[in-house]
Amino acid sequence: MSDIKKVVLAYSGGLDTSVILKWLQDTYQCEVVTFTADIGQGEEVEPARQKAIALGIKPENIFIDDLREEFVRDFVFPMFRANTIYEGEYLLGTSIARPLIAKRQIEIARQVGADAVSHGATGKGNDQVRFELGYYALQPNIHVIAPWREWDLLSREKLLAYAETHGIDISKRKSGASPYSMDANLLHISYEGLALENPAAEPEEDMWLWSNSPESAPDAAEYVELEYSKGDIVAINGVAMSPAQVLTKLNQLGGKHGIGRLDIVENRYVGMKSRGCYETPGGTIMLKAHRAIESITLDREVAHLKDELMPKYAKLIYTGYWWSPERHMLQTMIDESQQTVNGWVRVKLYKGNVIVVGRESKTDSLFDPNIATFDEDGGAYNHADAAGFIRLNALRMRIAANARLKRG
Amino acid sequence: MSDIKKVVLAYSGGLDTSVILKWLQDTYQCEVVTFTADIGQGEEVEPARQKAIALGIKPENIFIDDLREEFVRDFVFPMFRANTIYEGEYLLGTSIARPLIAKRQIEIARQVGADAVSHGATGKGNDQVRFELGYYALQPNIHVIAPWREWDLLSREKLLAYAETHGIDISKRKSGASPYSMDANLLHISYEGLALENPAAEPEEDMWLWSNSPESAPDAAEYVELEYSKGDIVAINGVAMSPAQVLTKLNQLGGKHGIGRLDIVENRYVGMKSRGCYETPGGTIMLKAHRAIESITLDREVAHLKDELMPKYAKLIYTGYWWSPERHMLQTMIDESQQTVNGWVRVKLYKGNVIVVGRESKTDSLFDPNIATFDEDGGAYNHADAAGFIRLNALRMRIAANARLKRG
Amino acid sequence: MSDIKKVVLAYSGGLDTSVILKWLQDTYQCEVVTFTADIGQGEEVEPARQKAIALGIKPENIFIDDLREEFVRDFVFPMFRANTIYEGEYLLGTSIARPLIAKRQIEIARQVGADAVSHGATGKGNDQVRFELGYYALQPNIHVIAPWREWDLLSREKLLAYAETHGIDISKRKSGASPYSMDANLLHISYEGLALENPAAEPEEDMWLWSNSPESAPDAAEYVELEYSKGDIVAINGVAMSPAQVLTKLNQLGGKHGIGRLDIVENRYVGMKSRGCYETPGGTIMLKAHRAIESITLDREVAHLKDELMPKYAKLIYTGYWWSPERHMLQTMIDESQQTVNGWVRVKLYKGNVIVVGRESKTDSLFDPNIATFDEDGGAYNHADAAGFIRLNALRMRIAANARLKRG
Amino acid sequence: MSDIKKVVLAYSGGLDTSVILKWLQDTYQCEVVTFTADIGQGEEVEPARQKAIALGIKPENIFIDDLREEFVRDFVFPMFRANTIYEGEYLLGTSIARPLIAKRQIEIARQVGADAVSHGATGKGNDQVRFELGYYALQPNIHVIAPWREWDLLSREKLLAYAETHGIDISKRKSGASPYSMDANLLHISYEGLALENPAAEPEEDMWLWSNSPESAPDAAEYVELEYSKGDIVAINGVAMSPAQVLTKLNQLGGKHGIGRLDIVENRYVGMKSRGCYETPGGTIMLKAHRAIESITLDREVAHLKDELMPKYAKLIYTGYWWSPERHMLQTMIDESQQTVNGWVRVKLYKGNVIVVGRESKTDSLFDPNIATFDEDGGAYNHADAAGFIRLNALRMRIAANARLKRG
């Protein structure tokens, strides 16, 4: 019925991807290989093995990986070196995880000799684009199967009916489960759908799963010291940590102090506006602190060039072009700028606030108190220089104004 | 001794500009015209009249203006239409006031037939540039006198000695006065110098003058509804207000709730890094809310174009180019984009947090719930379109990957 | 068989669109309205009427318009105000005509109550995108029929067979006709396909239809004076002309002198590289001359801002976003910059060269010979100012270098 | 009289720098070290030794270097990788040589223990900035002496009088010497001043020194094949060449065929407009050919990103920021993009024209004739994909248009 022989499915073990698994078997009559990754979503991944087996997947066709360190080291940290924010607000928590999933799926496809890959993203969202641009960039002739664009199970009812008919266990849809459309990884958790589809209405408090509200956060502030090496955090409060450990720790601290909630309307790549809510506790701290360490270690024009290019870089990640040559090109430049971004930043966390209260670089500071001082500086700076500086910067405007005056 | 006949001095009535006034009279043997403006700095301006008279200024040479409405309407609001932030943090409170002062000084110079203007900004800072680029752009052949670059009163002691010698009243330097170098207007108050010259150290709590700390702010959140017309706030909680009223009200609300404190190291135009602390309570609310109203009323690519140009626009204002043709050119484009930015935004203020909890535009919303919905959309969106969209966006990367594969 | 009732077809009268006309009638069983425009392609448009009638189109359903003035005034000239070039070479001759065709088709569709529009662009090219983005932007729910993406007549043989079968006159495919895939309008003529599909090979001389080769152009140079008003040419050699007259005259002059041939590989929006050859005689003169008049009338930073945004503006036009809000936003800014672009430029045309030999603006020149002179300038410029200018511009680099030295 | 002990002077051996040499000795009572470089200006540099000795310079204080290879390899070639043009026209021939001179002067200053450097650039031009930003960036506390900003010899007459008084040989000011202010190196020769100060007037033919006029160039075209490796030309017509050999050869070819003359009004960094004429024969060929090899080897978005950043990069070089961290940062990105820019380009040179007639890359071509073809492509490209591509790209504009329609 199809010429697909083997497909690698990004499989969470949940209802949707279990239905997809079955549907792939039925529709394409092909062998299915499941891939389940721990990227810090906060759920056990090992149970996916039994579910896959229950659905007839051969043990050797089940791949379960812990990608948390790779995720933070090779995706999250490089992105934060650019102070990346999409549309002034969004920290790209979902966007940055997709390229890693795509890469690993393609690696597995090569290893097992699969000719297709499949994912559970819908036809209206950004994630389908992020997955598939990754697939195509890394394996140009791979066959991509996007069930949500192909099948007719477009409502929750139809999906459940299909599951029941095909013997998929739906008992785990416990009554207490969140009804929102969600995505989670070590960088963030997101919520879409339902009441959120009205952007005029405030989300209900019990939607938020990861963080205290600012109101319920501790009444006492907490100070945290972050140590940077080449733009990345390498230690917290003096304790050296791996990338995933850093983000885990900052999530715990940020979540405790009500930090990193976000409620926005964003512009999707596929053309519509969409309302999303996000919790990014650790990322919110990282963004603020990274700007602070850069503020004393980056040259002014380097910092401004980064700022001017950031929206473009953020858009590339949001729209799924992580594996594109232009993202790579920008990353080369960004990484080069981070060679001197070394030192520490102290932040104060308090009820939703991340307050920078100190920053220092023993090795790379460009802050020169002798020049900046309001006191006499012993000749480090010649005040008279400013007159010429201003006059030549003004010259083009003076010539223009004189020309206007002459014309009357 | 000089060929300067009449000079218009930006005169605050404080010690520094009083010394300058005297020094100008002595050094240039010229007539001094004083100009004092109320731009919302929070001090009475009328007392400057008696001080000027005491220093020998003729009544007709004393100009005192209330510029608060012009300041917010023609400077602050246009800047906020661009979501302007310098170096990711600074809301440009000082930068945006200088062009207005410069403009008014030049108007007065024309009116009284003065051949020079003077200001009290130092030779190390940005403000001298902002004042003087304005002077030159508006009156190209004006003579500019910058006493801090010319005289030898470069320490506080020398300044006080000069004041005493010349009979300038220094009694108002009351013991309780802030020792920091400060600037204030309706948009913000700033602090520099002293202990702040060590960027590793946290500022002391009693430095901050305008706002509650988040800790001391009310325990109860407050909701505020802002109404927008063409990108500007025109009403708060249903009450129509003038621009200056809007900002005054938001300052009061923000200050109460501990909003808008900032502690940064910034890059000055004259070449050094400098540590500054700022309170911008109303502005901080405005920035967050403006992005929210734009999120439902601006086209995606228009929003992205604005985001890409914002750092350049911010830099122009920071470095003093408000009166330049390129700022005007950018403003034309920014203002054009705001025609559809109409509607309301609801924010929740709580202990330093500005949380957007709702936004709506009856007239200009581009948020289409029928298309965005996770439910069935009755054909408003064709899921299959996404396949072609992705495949053509991926084509260049597939061709490149195939070329790489072929080369092996 | 379909619910399309009436379709407006962009109809050239040639074989391809005649086949499309017939195919639309057959496939959709709908009424076809033809629209044929004179945009300076150099062929009579009136014969299209008889052809349409012969294919059964009712006289009231035949629209033939002379759009040459509108084309140059509202599309070509605005684009040239930006010094627009795509990928460093291409003057966008085809791209700029499509939005006008789309706009007029939609106007006619409204007038005749049509529910669909159709065009003859293929599924691999940029033109389908340019047409359809225009349709959708101007009439969001219009039905678009792109026969080349729907039918199976994908080779020339099948097309001819269909024509013969359906009684379409193919006799006009005279033996002497150019075999290349071509497009022409008042701005340019383009060639694609056949031998050009090998980018290593030089095109044959007799492909080029509009211009002399540089070799066969006159041995005597010709001087031409162009007069500008707000960035547009309004007179040539002292004779006032309309926009279309200007371009017609410059095409004649440029073609005579071997100007404006181009042979490039370009990147299409749909993802592949494509080799194209172009003749743009008048446009090549306009681009060079416009930069010259701007060189004396535009402020430096305005000019640089235009240069930085030009690639983005060019890409918008190339990819079909003329009717987008972001193109409109950029145009607002570009047009604002042209208020002072008034004066004249003299160019010398000779065997492929456009050489600017003089430029002047009596009203708006910013060239000040008193300041620029190498002779003594009577104090117009203070050489000492440069020292301070340089020292402050160098300060950040000096601080960094000192920091490096200190670290050793 | 001064605390300068030893100064390294950029010494050409000509009248101006000879006067400077003498003036430095007299004014600063210091030891002068001369540095004379061959950067391809087309004059012998060795005669500068005798002149220096005649002016009392110790032999060990005379440095004469052949920097041609370093100039092209480390400055010209990297710049051309970016397709650099300033203000749409200028190939930066003077700008790109100054950083090398500055670097070598600082190296010599370190070697001989000099505490100052000096140059012969005037106070109105860009070159003083380019030299001095280089000095300060490389040796932050160096003392810079710019005689043209300090002395009063501001006319030619005063300069000659000074020379005669101080026994400097002025006999070499031969009657036939060009009266223009000129600069030359392997990349270009420039002309400023005199009749050129009127931008309305055409330069006289005998001003141009390096190239045939198009009129006097050969009547027969010449084909040249250029081979690229990582964006740089490594062979011409099959003959491997060093960077300086490449540029020398292309200058000879371009000059013969009347290529590379330019007559513009440009915007100087110090604030005024200035008219300059340039001959850049080899560079003009290189720019055109480099775009051609990139057209088949660079990804579309990489090429567009380069195009968008090019004006900024060009401005950095024009204004003297070669040694800045932001130029380095951009260069890192540009160089990264050139890894695949390998292959050959064939150009035809004829009377001022550089016509690309072929380009190919055996190893890195992204031009895929199977996809680009107008013929049937055997399924390499799915035409139907374009429909979805267009519809989703149009979606935001359709939503906006529908919103407008709904509002009426």
Side-chain angles (χ1 to χ4, degrees), chain A residues 37-320:
Chain A
D38 184 351
I39 49 170
Q41 62 269 50
E43 287 177 3
E44 290 300 311
V45 288
E46 203 45 50
R49 191 180 308 274
Q50 284 316 311
K51 293 184 184 174
I53 286 172
L55 287 161
I57 307 302
K58 291 185 260 177
E60 66 268 30
N61 278 346
I62 299 174
F63 288 78
I64 297 183
D65 294 325
D66 182 349
L67 301 179
R68 286 176 296 173
E69 287 295 346
E70 183 178 2
F71 175 49
V72 183
R73 184 188 65 229
D74 295 345
F75 296 81
V76 174
F77 273 14
M79 179 173 78
F80 273 81
R81 286 174 208 144
N83 302 317
T84 317
I85 322 176
Y86 181 67
E87 299 188 340
E89 300 279 6
Y90 175 38
L91 297 187
L92 297 172
T94 297
S95 326
I96 193 62
R98 301 319 194 186
L100 169 57
I101 306 293
K103 164 177 170 269
R104 189 72 189 110
Q105 268 183 281
I106 293 298
E107 286 170 354
I108 293 170
R110 285 188 188 143
Q111 187 180 331
V112 303
D115 48 356
V117 287
S118 183
H119 62 76
T122 73
K124 271 188 184 176
N126 295 304
D127 286 332
Q128 57 178 340
V129 191
R130 295 164 185 154
F131 280 125
E132 298 178 27
L133 290 180
Y135 300 150
Y136 287 131
L138 297 169
Q139 185 78 356
N141 302 313
I142 194 81
H143 194 100
V144 174
I145 304 175
W148 283 98
R149 297 200 304 257
E150 298 185 22
W151 67 24
D152 57 357
L153 308 177
L154 291 174
S155 71
R156 192 113 300 250
E157 291 69 35
K158 290 181 187 163
L159 200 75
L160 288 169
Y162 185 97
E164 289 219 302
T165 306
H166 292 79
I168 296 169
D169 179 15
I170 59 170
S171 64
K172 287 296 277 295
R173 290 188 47 79
K174 50 208 173 218
S175 58
S178 171
Y180 293 95
S181 175
M182 289 164 46
D183 177 67
N185 59 50
L186 208 43
L187 181 55
H188 91 344
I189 183 168
S190 68
Y191 312 87
E192 293 182 302
L194 301 174
L196 295 178
E197 293 184 2
N198 174 16
E202 185 173 4
E204 44 193 358
E205 175 56 30
D206 66 5
M207 174 190 76
W208 307 98
L209 297 183
W210 276 19
S211 62
N212 285 325
S213 69
E215 286 90 338
S216 62
D219 288 329
E222 182 166 1
Y223 286 76
V224 181
E225 189 173 300
L226 308 171
E227 192 181 326
Y228 281 89
S229 174
K230 300 192 177 177
D232 298 336
I233 299 174
V234 294
I236 299 180
N237 291 334
V239 181
M241 293 186 186
S242 72
Q245 288 172 331
V246 163
L247 189 46
T248 303
K249 177 70 177 171
L250 292 179
N251 279 336
Q252 181 263 321
L253 286 165
K256 172 179 166 193
H257 288 287
I259 287 161
R261 291 184 177 189
L262 182 65
D263 171 358
I264 56 169
V265 174
E266 73 197 53
N267 290 292
R268 286 197 191 144
Y269 190 24
V270 291
M272 80 277 282
K273 289 180 183 290
S274 147
R275 205 268 192 89
C277 289
Y278 303 96
E279 289 171 278
T280 320
T284 302
I285 299 171
M286 290 207 301
L287 175 65
K288 189 85 177 175
H290 187 261
R291 278 213 170 266
I293 188 65
E294 283 195 340
S295 77
I296 54 167
T297 57
L298 273 198
D299 171 80
R300 179 185 70 200
E301 297 301 315
V302 166
H304 292 186
L305 182 54
K306 285 186 70 210
D307 281 352
E308 288 189 29
L309 289 172
M310 186 278 283
K312 183 183 296 287
Y313 177 86
K315 189 171 186 170
L316 286 176
I317 296 177
Y318 184 83
T319 53

Side-chain angles (χ1 to χ4, degrees), chain D residues 9-23 34-37 41 43-52 54-55 64 119-120 148 151 156 159-160 162-163 167-174 177 182:
Chain D
L9 170 66
Y11 180 60
S12 73
L15 173 64
D16 288 20
T17 50
S18 292
V19 167
I20 287 174
L21 195 166
K22 189 75 196 162
W23 180 88
T34 62
F35 162 56
T36 310
Q41 62 269 52
E43 287 178 2
E44 291 299 312
V45 288
E46 203 44 51
R49 192 181 306 274
Q50 284 315 311
K51 293 182 184 174
L55 287 161
I64 297 183
H119 62 76
W148 284 98
W151 69 22
R156 190 109 304 245
L159 199 76
L160 287 170
Y162 185 96
I168 296 168
D169 180 14
I170 60 169
S171 63
K172 287 300 273 301
R173 291 187 46 79
K174 52 216 171 206
M182 290 163 48

Side-chain angles (χ1 to χ4, degrees), chain D residues 252-287:
Chain D
Q252 180 262 320
L253 287 165
K256 172 180 164 192
H257 288 287
I259 287 161
R261 292 185 176 186
L262 183 64
D263 171 359
I264 56 168
V265 174
E266 73 196 54
N267 290 293
R268 286 196 192 147
Y269 190 26
V270 291
M272 81 278 283
K273 289 180 183 289
S274 147
R275 205 268 191 90
C277 289
Y278 303 96
E279 289 171 277
T280 321
T284 301
I285 299 170
M286 291 205 301
L287 175 65

Side-chain angles (χ1 to χ4, degrees), chain B residues 2-313:
Chain B
S2 105
D3 50 0
I4 302 295
K5 300 213 163 40
K6 204 186 279 192
V7 57
V8 180
L9 170 65
Y11 181 62
S12 73
L15 173 65
D16 287 21
T17 51
S18 293
V19 169
I20 287 174
L21 195 167
K22 190 75 197 162
W23 180 88
L24 286 170
Q25 290 170 328
D26 287 357
T27 309
Y28 286 91
Q29 301 286 330
C30 65
E31 199 172 343
V32 175
V33 178
T34 63
F35 161 57
T36 310
D38 185 350
I39 49 170
Q41 62 268 51
E43 287 178 3
E44 291 298 311
V45 289
E46 203 44 50
R49 192 181 306 275
Q50 283 317 310
K51 293 182 184 174
I53 286 172
L55 287 160
I57 306 302
K58 292 184 261 178
E60 67 268 28
N61 277 347
I62 300 174
F63 289 77
I64 297 182
D65 293 326
D66 182 349
L67 301 179
R68 287 175 296 174
E69 285 296 346
E70 183 178 1
F71 175 50
V72 183
R73 185 187 65 230
D74 296 345
F75 296 81
V76 174
F77 273 13
M79 179 173 78
F80 274 79
R81 286 175 209 144
N83 302 319
T84 316
I85 324 177
Y86 181 66
E87 298 187 342
E89 300 279 7
Y90 175 38
L91 297 187
L92 297 172
T94 297
S95 325
I96 193 60
R98 300 320 194 186
L100 170 56
I101 306 291
K103 165 178 169 268
R104 189 70 190 113
Q105 268 183 282
I106 293 298
E107 285 170 353
I108 293 170
R110 285 188 188 142
Q111 186 180 332
V112 303
D115 48 356
V117 286
S118 183
H119 62 75
T122 73
K124 271 188 184 177
N126 295 305
D127 285 332
Q128 57 179 341
V129 190
R130 295 165 184 154
F131 281 126
E132 298 178 27
L133 289 180
Y135 300 152
Y136 287 131
L138 297 169
Q139 185 77 357
N141 301 314
I142 196 79
H143 193 100
V144 175
I145 304 174
W148 284 98
R149 297 200 305 256
E150 297 185 22
W151 68 22
D152 56 358
L153 309 177
L154 291 173
S155 71
R156 191 108 303 244
E157 292 68 37
K158 290 180 186 164
L159 200 76
L160 287 170
Y162 185 96
E164 287 218 302
T165 307
H166 292 79
I168 295 168
D169 180 13
I170 59 169
S171 63
K172 287 298 273 301
R173 290 186 47 78
K174 53 219 169 204
S175 58
S178 169
Y180 293 95
S181 176
M182 289 163 47
D183 177 66
N185 59 51
L186 207 43
L187 182 54
H188 92 344
I189 183 168
S190 69
Y191 312 87
E192 293 182 303
L194 301 173
L196 295 178
E197 293 184 1
N198 174 15
E202 184 173 5
E204 43 192 0
E205 175 56 31
D206 65 4
M207 175 191 76
W208 306 98
L209 297 183
W210 277 18
S211 63
N212 285 325
S213 69
E215 285 91 339
S216 63
D219 288 329
E222 182 167 3
Y223 286 76
V224 181
E225 188 173 300
L226 307 170
E227 192 181 326
Y228 281 89
S229 174
K230 299 192 177 177
D232 298 336
I233 299 175
V234 293
I236 299 180
N237 291 333
V239 181
M241 293 186 186
S242 72
Q245 288 171 332
V246 162
L247 190 45
T248 302
K249 178 69 178 172
L250 292 179
N251 278 337
Q252 180 263 319
L253 287 165
K256 173 180 166 193
H257 288 286
I259 287 161
R261 291 184 177 188
L262 182 65
D263 171 359
I264 57 169
V265 174
E266 73 197 53
N267 291 292
R268 286 196 191 147
Y269 190 24
V270 292
M272 80 277 282
K273 289 181 183 290
S274 147
R275 205 268 190 89
C277 289
Y278 303 96
E279 290 171 276
T280 320
T284 301
I285 299 171
M286 290 206 302
L287 175 65
K288 190 86 178 172
H290 187 261
R291 278 213 170 266
I293 188 65
E294 284 194 341
S295 78
I296 54 167
T297 57
L298 274 197
D299 170 80
R300 178 185 72 199
E301 296 302 315
V302 166
H304 292 185
L305 182 53
K306 284 187 69 208
D307 281 352
E308 288 190 28
L309 288 171
M310 186 277 283
K312 183 183 295 285
Y313 177 86

Side-chain angles (χ1 to χ4, degrees), chain C residues 80 83-93 188 260-267 276-280 283-284 287 310 314 318, chain D residues 83 85 284-295 304 307 345 347 354-356 359:
Chain C
F80 273 81
N83 303 317
T84 317
I85 323 178
Y86 181 67
E87 299 188 340
E89 300 280 4
Y90 175 38
L91 297 187
L92 297 172
H188 92 344
R261 291 185 177 187
L262 182 65
D263 171 358
I264 56 169
V265 174
E266 73 197 53
N267 290 293
C277 290
Y278 303 96
E279 290 171 276
T280 320
T284 301
L287 175 65
M310 187 277 285
Y318 184 83
Chain D
N83 302 318
I85 323 177
T284 301
I285 299 170
M286 291 205 301
L287 175 65
K288 190 85 178 174
H290 187 261
R291 278 213 171 266
I293 188 65
E294 283 194 340
S295 77
H304 292 186
D307 281 352
V345 172
V347 293
V354 183
I355 302 163
V356 173
R359 68 295 270 166

Side-chain angles (χ1 to χ4, degrees), chain B residues 320-351:
Chain B
Y321 290 90
W322 180 267
W323 297 111
S324 71
E326 66 271 23
R327 202 281 308 171
H328 174 71
M329 189 176 161
L330 283 168
Q331 194 73 55
T332 302
M333 185 171 74
I334 292 160
D335 290 355
E336 176 67 25
S337 76
Q338 301 294 293
Q339 299 308 305
T340 60
V341 182
N342 306 300
W344 61 260
V345 171
R346 193 175 296 120
V347 294
K348 175 182 171 185
L349 311 180
Y350 174 70
K351 284 188 176 293

Side-chain angles (χ1 to χ4, degrees), chain A residues 299 363 385 391 396 407, chain C residues 299 363 385 391 396 407:
Chain A
D299 171 80
T363 55
D385 285 344
R391 275 201 290 265
R396 64 185 170 96
R407 285 193 299 275
Chain C
D299 171 80
T363 55
D385 284 345
R391 275 200 290 264
R396 65 186 169 96
R407 287 193 298 275

